[in-house]
Amino acid sequence: MTDQTTAEATAASIPPGGRQRAFTEFWHYYSMNTGAVIGLVVFSALVLVAIFAPLVAPHSPDEQFRDALLTPPAWQEGGRSMFLLGTDAVGRDMLSRLIFGARFSLFIGLVVVVFSLTSGIILGVLAGYFRGWVDTLIMRVMDVILAFPSLLLALVLVAILGPGLFNAMLAIALVLQPHFARLTRAAVMAEKNPEYVISAKVAGASHLRLMVKTILPNCMAPLIVQATLSFSNAILEAAALGFLGVGAQPPTPEWGTMLATAREFILRAPWVVTFPGLAILITVLAINLIGDGLRDAFDPKLKRS
């Protein structure tokens, strides 16, 4: 126990300069990927817009202007300057709904990733550390979940739980969970037998301490990359469920729900489906670019000298 305490004290006394050098090295490799930097800038702008939506949006997302139904964008004939991106079928400002919709989409991605990441790490650590029947049971359940198409399984779960934003997020999290569980299991198995783990065992560390304090911190790099990519998948899945009418329900300004309510006007007023679709496209593309940059920065094999 004395050796273990000494090791912990040594780890806790790492000078801040070491962390700063590690961050500097990380940013060096990350910034070499121009697309990743652009994705980070775009995503940061989206986060700021979502946080300050009440200050940025020109109108309330639910305010209806009955004298401006399906008004085209300001630069088209018949457009009005007070509705920069036009209005929808009931006279709501498209720009305001897109800005507030960023809140819902980013919130969905965050909640889904936190839930699926947490539960996936717990199951993956248990499977990779104990092996045997625990590993077999957990992995076979994950294999069953992965055997179904993700959107179809999410639809079935939402049909069982009932339509709604919370149930949609729960269903998407359950669908994405196996990816984190399998990745964590593989990382734990690779980190289970090095000398530092054996030393901790000899020092008397408990199973829980070995899993949480010793092994798991060395498995986080690939999980962070997977979490970034799953964030974009969660937004896409939520948009798909909203489009199918089982996700967020109207008048919630969620981008997929906006597409669903506007699909009958795709020929008469193409802007009501174009702008929500572009918002989803830009957000998912930015997050995927960030994921590529994180992969390059974390994986030593991909680092360029």
Side-chain angles (χ1 to χ4, degrees), residues 132-289:
W133 67 269
V134 176
D135 181 26
T136 302
L137 176 63
I138 293 175
M139 287 300 104
R140 294 301 77 78
V141 173
M142 297 299 105
D143 289 341
V144 170
I145 296 176
L146 289 173
F148 293 92
S150 58
L151 182 58
L152 177 60
L153 181 57
L155 276 172
V156 172
L157 292 174
V158 173
I160 295 173
L161 299 172
L165 182 59
F166 176 78
N167 290 340
M169 289 190 295
L170 182 60
I172 297 169
L174 291 175
V175 168
L176 296 178
Q177 175 186 279
H179 301 285
F180 292 102
R182 294 176 68 88
L183 187 59
T184 304
R185 171 182 176 268
V188 169
M189 289 172 59
E191 294 289 336
K192 185 179 177 182
N193 296 316
E195 293 182 359
Y196 72 92
V197 178
I198 298 174
S199 299
K201 287 181 181 179
V202 173
S206 63
H207 291 303
L208 180 62
R209 193 176 194 85
L210 284 171
M211 289 186 289
V212 177
K213 292 276 190 178
T214 308
I215 298 176
L216 184 58
N218 296 288
C219 304
M220 292 306 298
L223 291 174
I224 292 173
V225 177
Q226 181 62 40
T228 306
L229 299 177
S230 294
F231 197 108
S232 61
N233 288 337
I235 293 176
L236 283 175
E237 297 283 355
L241 293 177
F243 182 79
L244 295 173
V246 295
Q249 300 299 300
T252 304
E254 194 270 327
W255 293 336
T257 305
M258 291 173 64
L259 285 172
T261 56
R263 60 176 177 261
E264 60 183 291
F265 305 105
I266 190 170
L267 296 179
R268 290 174 49 200
W271 60 88
V272 295
V273 293
T274 301
F275 294 126
L278 283 176
I280 296 171
L281 171 65
I282 292 171
T283 303
V284 171
L285 180 60
I287 296 172
N288 285 339
L289 289 174

Side-chain angles (χ1 to χ4, degrees), residues 9 18 20 24 37-38 50-51 59 64 71 87 110 116-117 123 130 177 187 196 266 269 286 288:
Q20 185 176 359
T24 302
V37 176
I38 295 174
I51 293 174
H59 306 284
Q64 299 182 8
T71 300
T87 61
L110 179 63
S116 57
L117 176 65
L123 294 175
F130 289 108
Q177 175 186 279
Y196 72 92
I266 190 170
N288 285 339

